[in-house]
Amino acid sequence: MSFGTLPNALVVIAVVVAVVARRLSWSELDNSNADVWRGPVVLIGIGIYQLYADHVHLSAADVTLLVIGAGVALVAGVASGRVAQVERRAGKVFYRLGLPGLGIMVAYLVIRLGLAGVGHLLGVPVAEGGALLVSLGANLLTQSMIIQGKASRMAEEYTHQ
């Protein structure tokens, strides 16, 4: 592990701990769409900047690992968003991932870190660092969009009753 990947690992760990802690307990879902995209887009932006700053030239192996990582991130985001629990309380919407969502997130992280390890062994540095942040951001953005969609449908059903 190089010195440059240590800060990335610490950022990913801090983000994962914060997100898991927030999403395991019931949290009010902000009515603003900014709540859905703000954090994940910041992560994606930082990851893209790191890839750009490292002057990465993409080989076929780089692209393959990036595509696999993105696919895993999106599938896990959809799955964890679908199993998330959404409730309406006193006119406000609350959500949490619960244990099934936590299991999906843990499986996603194990697979994604495994891809980073494979990339490291193959000498494909793009699978680490910024790509981890882009992948995590894409996962959280997808998950948040699914949860927001569930909340919107719940609010629509509530107003039609």
Side-chain angles (χ1 to χ4, degrees), residues 22-23 30-46 137 140-141 144-145:
R22 179 174 181 231
R23 293 189 180 198
D30 186 3
N31 290 332
S32 154
N33 285 333
D35 188 47
V36 172
W37 58 262
R38 187 180 322 128
V41 167
V42 167
L43 277 178
I44 292 169
I46 292 169
L140 295 175
L141 181 61
S144 296
M145 289 172 55

Side-chain angles (χ1 to χ4, degrees), residues 119-154:
H120 181 75
L121 291 174
L122 295 175
V124 181
V126 77
E128 306 169 8
L132 280 169
L133 294 176
V134 171
S135 177
L136 182 61
N139 173 269
L140 295 175
L141 181 61
T142 305
Q143 182 185 108
S144 296
M145 289 172 55
I146 298 293
I147 292 170
Q148 184 76 16
K150 288 172 99 172
S152 295
R153 285 189 300 278
M154 178 179 280

Side-chain angles (χ1 to χ4, degrees), residues 23-24 80 83-85 96-102 105 143 147:
R23 293 189 180 198
L24 280 180
S80 57
V83 300
Q85 300 165 324
R96 73 175 180 177
L97 285 182
L99 291 179
L102 175 63
M105 282 194 71
Q143 182 185 108
I147 292 170

Side-chain angles (χ1 to χ4, degrees), residues 19-20 26-27 29 35 43 45 50 54 60 68 73 77 81 83-84 95 98 106 121 123 126 139 153 157 159:
V19 168
V20 167
W26 287 103
S27 300
L29 185 63
D35 188 47
L43 277 178
Q50 287 181 344
D54 291 341
I68 291 170
V83 300
Y95 75 99
V106 167
L121 291 174
V126 77
N139 173 269
R153 285 189 300 278
E157 290 171 7
T159 58

